[in-house]
């Protein structure tokens, strides 16, 4: 039981990282990447390849891991920039739901490309840190899980710092608060939208590297993970990063605990959780209820 | 008449198809096309028309398939099973809608996604009943003892498709369709003309689910076998693509959309390794180039074809219509509005603080005050958009404090909006016709089948709507799309729409804001005419010359409190009012220069 809670927390922290990407783009552009899962998949596969190449060329594992994360963030950032230009900006002026489908369109193209490059089969993603298990009482934690936990804390800390303290983060928040006013203050909302999507995609990529060794990797891995991260964001409240963190952890723990009983319950439990939360709190757990003004 | 000709032509075409192309492969494909089309039509009703979102329609598709299939396995006749399947879908649709009533945007998307996934999991895992991935084997469907072979089953599907297409098209052009579209355009405006938005949302979901269920059931019997792999999230997305790429909310969109989502994949399937890439690219391209969908895009290119309305002849210069001819004028009675110590708090901030006012109708009451003084909040309270934190509102002796906007409309209180809330996609005439919502007598079935009573009523209300438009001087713009009007014109149409409710109390929230000088004059004249008709009016306005000239009494708010009340000339010289508008003592000194 305790074991399930711990691994749930670790899995949940990955969901939360991916879901923060939804938060950033949603507040700045009122859109989000429905293909976030496939961006994650690209991150995972690229990460696998780059880690393999780096360790093969004799770079120390830890250094390779850090370098890979940086590299993948950069690559995914560029991909996010492309997504914003191709699938979000052209559709922004129309108060439609076209962006849902345009991001899906990009993601199925990515899926196809990944299949052509990496093949159709599941590729095992061995953790760079081996499979040693630390034991604390009854709970066992693999080195990779420890790595995930540490990375999650570091990434969350960086993200919160960036959003709340840095000038760029404040500019993002300003655009989120009032797009027109922000642009009058000399902030370019379009550039902020690009930044938001680049960041969001980078987070997905990092999520991919972290989750890869837990779930193994394949070109079709993205769909479920993307949806779960979306669920985490919705449970917590799309416009509240703290809520999203809580939503992710909650989802991870509930899934792992229910999977003790029956694997069918695992997925169903997550969905039932979402439905219950949304019935009683249609804005998510920590979402703010907005009174519309007329 | 033309409509029936088209249907007859389609029927002949569909009937002849197996002879024109006598290949079981193509007949099979035509079956697939038709049941996919059915689902897209249903989803278009929900997404395109009523502005809701469903990313879980594969769930309804699955419920239709399984319910119908399981019923026939339990030896229930095929046709009856189909009806049971439809009922099951309608009920689940209503249930999902009720669960998601308060959720909006991405949250609504999540509810529907979760529903779809839940059904998918049940289909996959409840193997004893659904067969899971191993699937269910069915007998060939039979109608009254006749077994349906491939071609006969195709005819059956074609028949159902035609019926559904015709009925849905009827809905589109009836008041039901208008109400759905109005709700999708502006929920709050629909509510203030008396639409019970909650029930209508449930109806939209329910109908859409029912239609999706028919599609699912027809799919299930196509091969006398199906399994749980057909009901994935991707399928839901695919249906949505059909709606959006075809042209959401258009009547022809689903046909084109189905070509894209059904025939196109068949065609690119041969390029197996690249088919997702090609499909994705086409999808992205069409979304960027034609954001309104293919039909919507072409519609725009061709220039909006003027819709023929039954009442064109009435347009002929009714602009001189006398206010006495506006029918509800006769129905007015003495009215009493009694607001007792009303408080509205937002997170501890008191936007309206202990305001009382009494209005014995018919009278025109001005409600003025500086920006942020609580005027708009007051309007929202009086029309049921907000429920006061404390205090009571009585209307003709009845406690209406916690009434919702549509209930307020039902007792005769309606409003216009400061930030315009016209149904932008609809024509001016249609906007006003939605205003008659509470006065339609024909029911759902009459509208579904376009009965004689329906046509009679449509004509009657179209004529009446034109009279109201003439009253505000907008009759010549009746066929214009509402979103294309100028600010001032939109305000006039809002007044006409509000009058269609036949209110006893009409609340005008800054009716002259953003209007040109000429339009302000026109609006002033309309308000004067309204006054002559004899309904009570609450007028919120910044243009003092309108307020001072039109109102019988004026109530002044400042910082949420009532600071003065009286006749216009009293208010003009009221020291506190002057202070509120010009600032405190220091400012007055500055202004006066002493």
């Amino acid at each position: 039981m305790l074991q399930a809670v711990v691994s749930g927390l670790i899995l949940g922290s990955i969901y939360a990282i991916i879901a923060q990407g939804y938060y950033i783009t949603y507040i700045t552009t009122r859109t989000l990447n429905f293909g976030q899962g496939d961006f994650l998949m690209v991150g995972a596969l690229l990460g696998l390849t780059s880690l393999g190449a780096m360790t093969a060329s004799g770079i120390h594992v830890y250094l390779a891991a850090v370098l890979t994360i940086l590299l993948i963030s950069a690559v995914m950032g560029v991909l996010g920039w492309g997504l914003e230009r191709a699938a979000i900006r052209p559709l922004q002026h129309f108060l439609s739901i076209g962006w849902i489908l345009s991001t899906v369109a990009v993601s199925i193209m990515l899926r196809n490309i990944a299949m052509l490059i990496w093949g159709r089969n599941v590729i095992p993603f061995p953790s760079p840190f081996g499979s040693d298990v630390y034991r604390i009482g009854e709970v066992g934690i693999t080195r990779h899980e420890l790595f995930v936990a540490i990375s999650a804390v570091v990434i969350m800390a960086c993200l919160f710092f960036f959003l709340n303290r840095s000038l760029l983060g404040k500019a993002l928040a300003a655009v989120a608060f009032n797009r027109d006013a922000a642009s009058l203050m000399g902030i370019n909302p379009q550039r902020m939208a690009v930044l938001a999507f680049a960041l969001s995609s980078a987070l997905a990529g990092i999520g991919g590297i972290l989750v890869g060794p837990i779930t193994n990797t394949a070109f079709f891995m993205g769909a479920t993970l993307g949806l779960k991260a979306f669920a985490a964001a919705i449970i917590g409240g799309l416009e509240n990063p703290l809520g999203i963190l809580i939503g992710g952890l909650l989802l991870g723990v509930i899934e792992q605990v229910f999977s003790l009983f029956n694997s069918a319950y695992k997925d169903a439990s997550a969905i039932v959780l979402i439905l219950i939360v949304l019935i009683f709190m249609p804005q998510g757990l920590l979402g703010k209820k907005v009174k519309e003004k007329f | 008449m033309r409509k029936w000709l088209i249907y007859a032509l389609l029927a002949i075409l569909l009937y002849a198809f197996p002879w024109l192309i006598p290949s079981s492969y193509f007949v099979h494909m035509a079956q697939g096309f038709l049941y996919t089309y059915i689902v897209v039509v249903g989803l278009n009703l929900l997404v395109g028309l009523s502005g809701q979102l469903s990313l879980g329609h594969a769930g309804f598709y699955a419920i239709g398939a399984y319910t119908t299939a399981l019923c026939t396995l339990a030896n229930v006749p095929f046709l009856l099973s189909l009806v049971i399947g439809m009922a099951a879908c309608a009920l689940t649709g209503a249930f999902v809608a009720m669960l998601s009533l308060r959720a909006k945007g991405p949250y609504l998307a999540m509810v529907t996604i979760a529903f779809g996934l839940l059904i998918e999991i049940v289909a996959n895992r409840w193997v004893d009943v659904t067969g899971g991935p191993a699937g269910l084997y069915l007998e060939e469907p039979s109608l009254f003892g006749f077994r349906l072979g491939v071609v006969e089953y195709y005819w059956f599907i074609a028949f159902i498709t035609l019926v559904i297409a015709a009925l849905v098209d009827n809905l589109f052009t009836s008041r039901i369709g208008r109400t759905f579209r109005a709700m999708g355009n502006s929920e709050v405006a629909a509510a203030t003309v008396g639409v019970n938005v909650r029930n209508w949302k449930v109806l939209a979901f329910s109908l859409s689910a029912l239609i999706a269920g028919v599609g699912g059931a027809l799919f299930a019997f196509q091969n006398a076998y199906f399994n749980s792999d057909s009901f994935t999230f991707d399928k839901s997305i695919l249906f949505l693509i059909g709606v959006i790429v075809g042209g959401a909310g258009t009547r022809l969109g689903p046909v084109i959309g189905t070509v894209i989502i059904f025939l196109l994949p068949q065609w690119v399937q041969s390029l197996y390794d690249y088919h997702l890439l090609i499909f994705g690219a086409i999808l992205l391209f069409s979304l960027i180039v034609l954001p309104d969908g293919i039909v919507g895009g072409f519609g725009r290119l061709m220039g909006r074809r003027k819709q023929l309305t039954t009442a064109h002849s009435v347009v002929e210069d009714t602009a001189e219509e006398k206010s006495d001819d506006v029918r509800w004028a006769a129905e007015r009675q003495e009215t009493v509005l009694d607001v007792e110590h009303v408080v509205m708090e937002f997170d501890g901030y008191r936007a309206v603080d202990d305001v009382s006012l009494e209005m014995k109708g018919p009278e025109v009451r001005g409600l003025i005050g500086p920006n942020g003084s609580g005027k708009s909040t007051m309007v929202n309270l009086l029309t049921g958009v907000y429920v006061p934190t404390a205090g009571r509102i009585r209307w003709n002796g009845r406690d209406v404090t916690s009434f919702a906007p549509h209930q307020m409309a039902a007792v005769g209180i309606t409003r216009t909006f400061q930030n315009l809330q016209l149904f932008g996609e609809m024509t001016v005439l249609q906007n006003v016709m939605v205003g008659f919502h509470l006065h339609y007598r024909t029911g759902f079935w009459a509208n579904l089948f376009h009965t004689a009573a329906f046509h009679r009523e449509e004509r009657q209300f179209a004529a009446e709507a034109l009279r109201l438009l003439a009253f505000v001087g907008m009759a010549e713009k009746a066929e214009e799309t509402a979103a294309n009007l100028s600010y001032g014109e939109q305000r006039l149409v809002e007044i006409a729409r509000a009058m269609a409710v036949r209110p006893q109390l009409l609340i005008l929230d800054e009716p002259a804001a953003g209007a040109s000088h000429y339009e302000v004059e026109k609006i002033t004249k309309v308000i004067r005419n309204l006054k002559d008709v004899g309904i009570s009016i609450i007028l919120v306005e910044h243009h003092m010359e309108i307020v001072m000239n039109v109102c019988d009494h004026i109530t002044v708010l400042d910082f949420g409190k009532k600071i003065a009340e009286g006749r216009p000339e009293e208010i003009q010289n009221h020291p506190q009012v002057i202070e509120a508008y010009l600032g405190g003592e220091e400012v007055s000194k500055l202004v006066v220069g002493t």
Side-chain angles (χ1 to χ4, degrees):
Chain A
M1 192 65 170
L2 199 60
Q3 175 73 57
V5 171
V6 170
S7 49
L9 283 175
I10 284 163
L11 195 62
S13 64
I14 301 179
Y15 294 156
I17 290 174
I18 308 166
Q20 298 293 355
Y22 291 128
Y23 159 73
I24 295 170
T25 61
Y26 186 71
I27 59 162
T28 41
T29 62
R30 293 286 137 186
T31 59
L32 43 84
N33 179 6
F34 257 81
Q36 187 85 332
D38 289 285
F39 278 65
L40 168 141
M41 170 273 294
V42 172
L45 287 168
L46 273 180
L48 175 64
T49 309
S50 109
L51 259 181
M54 283 187 194
T55 43
S57 64
I59 300 175
H60 190 273
V61 194
Y62 290 97
L63 187 62
V66 173
L67 280 178
T68 299
I69 288 186
L70 290 177
L71 179 72
I72 299 302
S73 308
V75 173
M76 296 308 293
V78 174
L79 211 55
W81 170 74
L83 176 77
E84 203 274 340
R85 293 308 290 264
I88 300 292
R89 194 176 299 181
L91 293 164
Q92 266 249 299
H93 314 293
F94 310 97
L95 285 171
S96 72
I97 48 170
W99 55 268
I100 294 182
L101 299 179
S102 62
T103 53
V104 168
V106 170
S107 81
I108 61 180
M109 284 156 76
L110 278 183
R111 207 179 298 174
N112 200 159
I113 294 168
M115 186 192 81
L116 293 175
I117 298 176
W118 283 282
R120 290 168 192 285
N121 301 323
V122 174
I123 310 167
F125 190 153
S127 169
F129 310 105
S131 48
D132 297 351
V133 176
Y134 297 110
R135 295 220 149 267
I136 307 162
E138 294 191 8
V139 183
I141 298 183
T142 64
R143 289 180 73 161
H144 181 75
E145 284 178 323
L146 202 62
F147 169 66
V148 170
I150 294 168
S151 316
V153 172
V154 172
I155 289 167
M156 287 293 168
C158 288
L159 196 67
F160 279 81
F161 180 80
F162 170 76
L163 290 173
N164 298 323
R165 294 272 180 276
S166 77
L167 196 60
L168 211 52
K170 281 183 181 163
L172 267 183
V175 172
F177 193 73
N178 187 332
R179 199 183 157 88
D180 297 331
S183 78
L184 287 175
M185 293 290 111
I187 301 166
N188 180 345
Q190 292 205 323
R191 200 170 294 160
M192 289 300 131
V194 171
L195 176 69
F197 272 93
L199 251 178
S200 161
S201 306
L203 286 171
I206 295 171
I209 302 171
L210 296 180
V211 85
I214 299 177
T215 60
N216 281 331
T217 44
F219 78 96
F220 51 77
M221 71 185 281
T224 336
L225 284 165
L227 274 181
K228 280 184 183 158
F230 184 53
I234 292 288
I235 291 172
L238 246 185
E239 295 177 59
N240 186 327
L242 191 65
I244 291 175
L245 179 58
I246 294 171
L249 296 178
L250 193 64
L251 190 64
V253 169
I254 286 195
E255 262 188 8
Q256 291 299 318
V257 169
F258 274 91
S259 69
L260 289 180
F261 304 107
N262 181 334
S263 70
Y265 293 161
K266 180 184 162 188
D267 293 326
S269 67
I271 289 163
V272 172
L273 170 72
I274 296 161
L275 287 176
I276 291 173
V277 168
L278 285 181
I279 291 164
F280 294 105
M281 282 173 257
Q283 306 281 327
L285 287 174
L286 294 189
K288 231 197 184 155
K289 203 172 172 218
V290 210
K291 273 247 195 266
E292 283 169 274
K293 202 172 180 293
F294 297 106
Chain B
M1 215 60 248
R2 210 173 113 245
K3 190 172 83 178
W4 291 109
L5 216 65
I6 293 173
Y7 287 144
L9 208 69
L10 276 176
I12 292 169
L13 249 158
L14 285 171
Y15 179 71
F17 182 80
W19 282 313
L20 294 176
I21 305 171
S23 136
S24 68
Y25 171 74
F26 280 109
V27 170
H28 200 82
M29 203 132 109
Q31 290 176 347
F33 180 86
L34 291 174
Y35 63 65
T36 310
Y37 169 69
I38 291 179
V39 181
V40 176
V41 165
L43 190 57
N44 187 33
L45 202 64
L46 184 70
V47 176
L49 205 55
S50 60
Q52 303 293 298
L53 181 59
S54 171
L55 287 168
H57 248 50
F60 299 119
Y61 190 66
I63 290 174
Y66 279 112
T67 313
T68 312
L70 291 172
C71 280
T72 56
L73 287 180
N75 288 325
V76 179
F78 172 63
L79 215 50
L80 185 59
S81 305
L82 186 59
V83 174
I84 296 173
M86 285 156 66
C89 283
L91 283 179
T92 348
F95 182 66
V96 172
M98 281 191 249
L99 291 188
S100 58
L101 272 176
R102 294 196 294 154
K104 289 210 167 82
Y107 297 91
L108 174 60
M110 189 68 238
V111 175
T112 57
I113 290 174
F115 163 75
L117 291 179
L118 196 60
I119 299 297
E120 189 187 337
I121 292 171
V122 171
N124 245 318
R125 298 295 187 130
W126 199 13
V127 180
D128 297 343
V129 174
T130 65
L136 276 182
Y137 289 89
L138 309 168
E139 284 184 28
E140 273 187 340
S142 60
L143 280 185
F144 311 111
F146 294 107
R147 285 192 171 281
L148 298 177
V150 175
V151 175
E152 289 90 350
Y153 189 56
Y154 159 79
W155 280 330
F156 178 70
I157 295 180
F159 173 71
I160 301 233
T161 310
L162 209 56
V163 170
I164 288 180
L167 291 182
V168 169
D169 198 59
N170 277 356
L171 276 189
F172 257 73
T173 49
S174 73
R175 78 175 174 99
I176 310 283
R178 273 202 303 273
T179 311
F180 280 149
R181 203 185 281 273
M183 191 172 76
N185 277 207
S186 168
E187 265 181 38
V188 68
T192 53
V193 298
V195 178
N196 184 339
V197 173
R198 205 180 64 179
N199 290 357
W200 280 83
K201 267 189 194 169
V202 172
L203 177 67
F205 247 100
S206 203
L207 273 177
S208 178
L210 181 151
I211 298 172
V214 175
L218 293 175
F219 152 76
F221 285 88
Q222 186 185 20
N223 297 322
Y225 166 81
F226 70 101
N227 66 21
S228 60
D229 293 343
S230 311
F231 311 113
T232 56
F233 176 59
D234 294 350
K235 194 80 155 213
S236 298
I237 295 274
L238 203 64
F239 290 140
L240 193 62
I241 291 173
V243 172
I244 303 288
V245 172
T250 61
R251 288 150 72 186
L252 273 180
V255 180
I256 310 290
T258 312
V259 171
I260 301 281
I261 65 166
F262 187 79
L263 295 185
L264 191 66
Q266 306 275 350
W267 174 63
V268 292
Q269 202 93 67
S270 47
L271 311 157
Y272 190 70
D273 275 348
Y274 302 93
H275 79 273
L276 281 178
L277 198 58
I278 295 169
F279 187 66
I282 292 175
L283 176 58
L284 185 61
F285 180 76
S286 85
L287 284 168
I288 292 172
V289 178
L290 297 166
D292 293 336
I294 294 172
V295 172
F298 274 99
R300 182 162 295 178
L301 276 181
M302 312 274 276
R304 279 191 79 91
R305 220 177 31 157
K306 294 266 174 187
Q307 278 180 324
L308 288 169
T309 41
T310 42
H312 240 303
S313 53
V314 195
V315 182
E316 311 295 303
D317 245 22
T318 39
E320 295 300 307
E321 198 82 36
K322 282 270 171 55
S323 47
D324 305 343
D325 296 335
V326 181
R327 251 189 62 195
W328 40 258
E331 295 170 12
R332 111 189 113 83
Q333 55 194 54
E334 299 293 292
T335 57
V336 183
L337 175 70
D338 206 354
V339 178
E340 297 166 5
H341 304 288
V342 158
V343 176
M344 186 70 210
E345 242 172 52
F346 299 105
D347 297 328
Y349 168 70
R350 291 197 159 198
V352 168
D353 190 0
D354 196 20
V355 172
S356 302
L357 62 91
E358 202 186 6
M359 235 179 110
K360 285 219 167 69
E363 97 163 69
V364 179
R365 172 69 61 101
L367 190 59
I368 63 171
N371 286 327
S373 59
K375 301 184 300 289
S376 286
T377 309
M378 199 65 206
V379 172
N380 284 331
L381 287 171
L382 289 176
T383 49
V385 176
Y386 297 160
V387 174
T389 321
R392 272 217 298 200
I393 303 171
R394 290 169 158 282
W395 170 243
N396 293 340
R398 195 163 164 198
D399 188 349
V400 295
T401 314
S402 52
F403 271 30
H406 69 270
Q407 291 170 302
M408 287 294 197
V411 296
I413 303 179
T414 192
R415 66 177 288 186
T416 65
F417 293 87
Q418 180 189 345
N419 52 349
L420 292 154
Q421 298 281 336
L422 277 186
F423 310 126
E425 293 175 0
M426 300 161 71
T427 67
V428 167
L429 185 73
Q430 286 172 334
N431 265 276
V432 181
M433 285 181 76
V434 174
F436 289 113
H437 182 81
L438 292 165
H439 307 290
Y440 287 98
R441 288 290 157 262
T442 56
F444 179 78
W445 300 108
N447 279 275
L448 185 63
F449 293 111
H450 278 199
T451 60
F454 158 81
H455 285 295
R456 205 162 45 238
E457 197 181 54
E458 286 286 292
R459 270 196 299 276
Q460 176 205 334
F461 280 115
E464 226 172 295
L466 273 169
R467 266 202 293 279
L468 286 176
L469 282 171
F471 181 78
V472 299
M474 289 292 296
E476 70 276 18
K477 301 253 177 167
E479 298 305 318
E480 195 97 27
T481 306
N484 297 340
L485 300 178
S486 76
Y487 258 25
E489 289 173 328
Q490 294 199 28
R491 298 208 179 273
L492 287 167
V493 176
E494 276 212 354
I495 293 176
R497 181 181 67 192
M499 284 161 69
V501 182
R502 295 176 191 156
Q504 292 163 7
L505 172 61
L506 174 57
I507 303 179
L508 302 172
D509 193 359
E510 303 203 12
S516 70
H517 182 67
Y518 165 73
E519 287 167 340
V520 168
E521 273 177 17
K522 208 166 163 186
I523 291 165
T524 314
K525 207 175 130 208
V526 168
I527 297 173
R528 278 180 192 285
N529 287 346
L530 276 174
K531 194 179 167 183
D532 292 342
V533 166
I535 48 171
S536 292
I537 296 173
I538 292 181
L539 176 62
V540 179
E541 190 45 75
H542 279 301
H543 287 73
M544 281 307 148
E545 73 272 21
I546 303 182
V547 178
M548 293 302 166
N549 289 326
V550 176
C551 296
D552 302 318
H553 290 95
I554 295 173
T555 302
V556 189
L557 295 180
D558 191 27
F559 292 111
K561 285 196 159 61
K562 185 165 94 176
I563 56 169
E565 193 167 68
R567 309 194 61 80
E569 53 277 14
E570 294 163 21
I571 295 298
Q572 270 170 333
N573 302 315
H574 198 287
Q576 259 185 297
V577 177
I578 295 170
E579 187 183 313
Y581 269 90
L582 293 180
E585 247 174 75
E586 304 82 6
V587 184
S588 327
K589 273 180 198 155
L590 272 177
V591 173
V592 184
T594 50

